Amino acid sequence: MEALLQQIEKYKQEITDVKATTAEAVEAFRIQWLGTKGLLKNIMGEMKNVPNEHKRAFGQVLNDFKLFVEAKFEELQQSNSTEKSEEKAFDWSLPGSSVPVGTRHPLTIVRNQIVSIFKTLGFAIAEGPEIEDDWHNFGAMNLPEDHPARDMQDTFYINQNPAWLLRTHTSSVQARVLETQKPPIRVICPGRVYRNETISARAHCFFHQIEGLYIDENVSFADLKQTLYFFVQEMFGKGVQVRFRPSYFPFTEPSAEMDISCLICDSKGCNVCKHTGWVEILGSGMVHPKVLENFGIDSTKYTGFAFGMGVERICQLKYQVNDLRLYSQNDVRFLKQFTGAV
Ligand code: PHE
């Protein structure tokens, strides 16, 4: 009997030290102590060997021990199930915290659209430097140094070397193509250009252009018109009208500006079309023989056309953007409106 009491004390110590961190460990504790073949049952079985006069006292000890084991079991269960309930409290079906995905800039979207339209007509893309020399930007394009037409493009010059400038148009890329390729030539030149203008809703010190150049035998003004008409229909839709107005560029002869019917007011007259119903979208013309000769191309054999448009203007008409400054302010409220456009 004494030995049995000592044994129970030892068990109590052992049980006190038990730690169960998993549901399996709690179950193992239950089987070991409270199961049908568990130690508690075993000890209870000793009752029959206890002399009658001690039965009562021993019964009390056994009962306390049983309560002790059960309390421990409950405690283990509890500490495990709090973990469980914390797990349950976390709703795995909730959407994750998302990383915001940016969108393409509207100018990139429109540039890509323009480029892909001309690609279907067989135009290749040509690119060139934004810092140019005077020759590629002006001289080769039939704008000699004191030519008054230079005033059409207010230019940023570079102090360290006055022969360098920020290109005012991507015609400089046309010059670089003519320098290195032989006709037939069919390229479009997208890129950023710079002009020294005061920033306002209608002007900026930089903008984006796409110029085109097509040189081959028998290229005529009719080809120019048809190409640009096709472009307008693809870009803005079938019902949009075009008109050509005579104009002047030193590098083309004859030259024309092309207008499209105003998409903002449906040609009824608004601020964008200055109440004329027409909006100018590009300059164009037949490549001046002098430009061809500058690059050793026989102007009696070859002819060609060129055109140049501002991406901002096309984008303004396509998406009704009314202030040029929006393009470079980096305001997500503006930029995210183009989600989904490609
Ligand atoms: N380079 C002209 C400009 O920037 C546009 C243009 C290109 C006009 C080709 C005619 C032909 O204004």
Side-chain angles (χ1 to χ4, degrees):
M1 162 103 174
E2 202 50 43
L4 207 55
L5 288 175
Q6 271 178 15
Q7 185 62 48
I8 288 174
E9 271 321 301
K10 254 181 80 186
Y11 282 150
K12 272 189 165 173
Q13 195 50 53
E14 215 176 282
I15 289 167
T16 309
D17 294 338
V18 168
K19 285 190 179 64
T21 50
T22 63
E24 286 83 351
V26 176
E27 177 61 3
F29 178 91
R30 190 193 64 77
I31 292 168
Q32 185 187 359
W33 291 100
L34 302 167
T36 40
K37 288 178 190 152
L39 283 166
L40 195 63
K41 270 263 158 56
N42 234 346
I43 298 168
M44 293 288 193
E46 294 294 330
M47 193 65 169
K48 60 181 184 297
N49 304 326
V50 174
N52 274 348
E53 67 274 22
H54 292 307
K55 267 200 169 47
R56 208 184 134 82
F58 192 66
Q60 189 62 48
V61 171
L62 277 186
N63 209 43
D64 285 353
F65 182 57
K66 182 175 175 252
L67 292 175
F68 176 80
V69 178
E70 282 172 346
K72 176 71 183 185
F73 175 60
E74 219 160 81
E75 177 200 313
L76 291 177
Q77 251 184 339
Q78 199 100 111
S79 68
N80 260 273
S81 71
T82 30
E83 260 169 45
K84 278 244 175 67
S85 68
E86 264 167 30
E87 231 170 74
K88 264 196 206 122
F90 187 82
D91 184 351
W92 293 97
S93 69
L94 285 174
S97 42
S98 58
V99 181
V101 179
T103 55
R104 280 196 202 285
H105 193 280
L107 292 177
T108 308
I109 294 168
V110 169
R111 187 203 58 192
N112 289 351
Q113 286 172 349
I114 300 171
V115 165
S116 74
I117 293 169
F118 283 103
K119 267 188 172 171
T120 63
L121 294 174
F123 283 78
I125 298 173
E127 287 183 316
E130 291 182 17
I131 299 176
E132 261 300 0
D133 53 52
D134 196 275
W135 169 250
H136 289 97
N137 195 81
F138 290 128
M141 288 291 120
N142 200 26
L143 276 139
E145 239 169 62
D146 45 10
H147 198 294
R150 284 197 182 201
D151 293 346
M152 289 161 76
Q153 302 183 355
D154 289 330
T155 311
F156 287 112
Y157 288 92
I158 289 161
N159 280 343
Q160 282 93 326
N161 187 344
W164 287 349
L165 47 90
L166 295 182
R167 67 181 180 194
T168 58
H169 52 183
T170 54
S171 299
S172 58
V173 185
Q174 294 186 34
R176 289 183 177 274
V177 169
L178 288 166
E179 212 166 49
T180 50
Q181 295 179 29
K182 294 266 152 282
I185 289 170
R186 206 165 4 172
V187 289
I188 42 166
C189 317
R192 186 177 285 186
V193 299
Y194 301 83
R195 292 187 196 175
N196 189 5
E197 289 185 29
T198 313
I199 299 168
S200 71
R202 307 174 70 91
H204 212 304
C205 57
F206 67 86
F207 63 101
H208 298 77
Q209 267 196 337
I210 296 192
E211 296 213 353
L213 176 70
Y214 180 28
I215 295 173
D216 204 347
E217 291 177 44
N218 303 318
V219 177
S220 72
F221 204 91
D223 297 315
L224 179 157
K225 283 177 102 172
Q226 186 55 42
T227 304
L228 295 178
Y229 183 59
F230 173 80
F231 161 71
V232 169
Q233 306 266 295
E234 290 293 303
M235 191 72 205
F236 297 108
K238 298 284 175 231
V240 179
Q241 315 253 306
V242 301
R243 76 172 184 187
F244 288 83
R245 277 178 295 105
S247 184
Y248 171 77
F249 299 103
F251 29 87
T252 48
E253 180 61 32
S255 304
E257 274 167 319
M258 189 175 82
D259 301 339
I260 62 168
S261 48
C262 185
L263 300 164
I264 309 270
C265 63
D266 207 12
S267 295
K268 290 190 180 69
C270 67
N271 282 343
V272 174
C273 65
K274 296 187 196 109
H275 302 280
T276 62
W278 295 97
V279 189
E280 182 211 320
I281 64 159
L282 55 81
S284 64
M286 300 306 290
V287 179
H288 199 292
K290 264 210 180 132
V291 173
L292 296 175
E293 301 297 341
N294 278 341
F295 296 97
I297 296 171
D298 182 355
S299 63
T300 58
K301 185 169 173 208
Y302 291 103
T303 49
F305 66 76
F307 57 87
M309 66 184 94
V311 181
E312 279 81 351
R313 170 55 67 88
I314 306 290
C315 192
Q316 172 191 32
L317 296 171
K318 182 103 185 167
Y319 294 113
Q320 329 249 303
V321 179
N322 56 12
D323 190 329
L324 262 180
R325 290 166 292 193
L326 286 167
Y327 293 124
S328 49
Q329 276 165 348
N330 234 357
D331 187 334
V332 286
R333 288 170 304 177
F334 170 69
L335 297 173
K336 75 178 178 194
Q337 294 177 45
F338 301 89
T339 317
V342 279

